[in-house]
Structures are given as C-alpha cells and as structure tokens.
Amino acid sequence: MKVIVFGAHSSVGEHVVSKLMKKGYTSCAVIGNENQTELLKNRGATDVVVYEEHLLTSLFHGYDAAIYLTGINPKGQSGKTVMVDHQSVIETVKEAEKQGVQRFVMMSAIMANETADDESREIGAKEMPDELLRQANLTYTVVQPGALTDKPGDGKISAAITLDSKELEISREDLAEVLVMSLEVESAFNKTFEVAEGDTVVSKALASL
C-alpha cells in the first residue's frame, strides 16, 4: 500500500512514518518546511514533499491511502485558524476523491463534537471537517484521541464510539499505531471513534469496533 501523510512533521506524524516503514508500506511525507526533510527520511519516509498549494491537484496520484493529521495546516507554519484548517481539510478531501485515493484516515480530537459556543472552540469547530469526511465518497476513518502525551507507547489502548471518561490520555506513539492500523482493519472502515490509553492491544481494540 502507498500512503501519503499530511502533517508528517508533527510529533504524531513522525511516529506514523516510522510505523508505515516498519510495516513495509511506501510513504510520502507531506511537510511544511524543507528543513524537516532529512528528519522524515531518517524516520523512514520513501518520499518527502514540501507542501505548496499548487501541488495539491496532483499530490495523490499513485497513492492508495491518506493519513491526515488535523490541526496541521499545510498552508502555513504557524498561526493556523479554525477556518483555514477547515478549508485545508475540504480541499484535501476533494482532491483525494478526485485523484482516486481509496482510504482516508483523519486524526481529529475527542472534543470534536462540541459546539462552536464551547470555550474550547478551536477544537470544537473541528466537527465540521469530521462531518465533511464522513460525507465524502471515500472509505474513511475519523480517530478522536484523548489528550496526547510523550509517554512511550505500549501498544495497548481503549477504543469505542464514545469513551466514558472525560479525562483521557493517549501517547503519541500509540495514536500513530491506531492511525496506521486503521488503514487495513475493516472494522474501522467508515467509523468515527474515540481512543485513549487502555489494556487492549491495538489490533484487538480496533477489531471490536
């Protein structure tokens, strides 16, 4: 499988690229700055592309799947806003459809279903890209993680359409494992679900969805 990773330069993205390499996938890391190229190659990316808007119309050609890390705006290095983030997702999903991508896995947030009136609006407004992806003509997966930590991953999580606790955490490494495994575990296809640290190995947790 050939996988293109948007936001590959993020702390989660670096783990995603490494795990794709270990599983034998071909990957293209889409990054925001040329200075990040060497790091992503060392992480195992087969190819690295510094994002420029005009590239989007051909960027997906030849790729079977995409992993999109929400909150990473490929149009800018910083100062992202909710509306720019939404527009970026919209454009990316439309081009993925047009260029024949079959699988689209998106990292969202557990709070994605909050309303725009909530205090955490920057996260809450991400409901819109989640819904956009669900309506697209793609086999999608929306992963909504708890708060991210730098703890080493242990390969064990909890996953459900809705997790009970509101104070949930997951290591970036384990989240990356979830995103990569979701590419091929059919029980994760066309699903939106929450993930956090837990006691179940990732493959078994995804199979239970």
Side-chain angles (χ1 to χ4, degrees), residues 134-202:
R134 285 191 284 265
Q135 294 177 3
N137 186 28
L138 291 163
T139 302
Y140 72 86
T141 300
V142 177
V143 180
Q144 298 178 328
L148 304 183
T149 74
D150 290 323
K151 297 176 185 174
D154 64 1
K156 294 181 179 178
I157 61 165
S158 56
I161 302 305
T162 303
L163 294 172
D164 289 337
S165 174
K166 295 301 179 186
E167 296 182 1
L168 298 169
E169 294 183 341
I170 185 170
S171 75
R172 289 173 169 82
E173 185 176 1
D174 282 339
L175 173 58
E177 182 76 5
V178 171
L179 294 167
V180 171
M181 275 203 168
S182 292
L183 291 171
E184 292 192 341
V185 176
E186 292 189 11
S187 54
F189 289 9
N190 297 319
K191 295 274 180 64
T192 299
F193 58 89
E194 299 180 349
V195 293
E197 60 187 12
D199 299 321
T200 308
V201 295
V202 173

Side-chain angles (χ1 to χ4, degrees), residues 55-96:
L55 297 177
L56 193 59
T57 55
S58 60
L59 205 50
F60 291 98
H61 285 164
Y63 287 93
D64 308 296
I67 296 178
Y68 188 95
L69 305 176
T70 307
I72 306 301
N73 173 19
K75 286 185 175 180
Q77 309 306 311
S78 62
K80 60 183 181 292
T81 68
V82 170
M83 292 312 297
V84 171
D85 191 38
H86 290 172
Q87 190 60 36
S88 174
V89 175
I90 291 168
E91 292 171 358
T92 305
V93 169
K94 284 182 178 176
E95 285 297 335

Side-chain angles (χ1 to χ4, degrees), residues 96-108:
E97 283 185 275
K98 196 182 302 182
Q99 294 172 45
V101 167
Q102 301 297 311
R103 290 283 292 119
F104 199 107
V105 176
M106 184 165 75
M107 183 186 110
S108 181

Side-chain angles (χ1 to χ4, degrees), residues 108-119:
S108 181
I110 251 178
M111 306 298 280
N113 293 325
E114 289 181 345
T115 70
D117 295 331
D118 291 326
E119 291 181 2

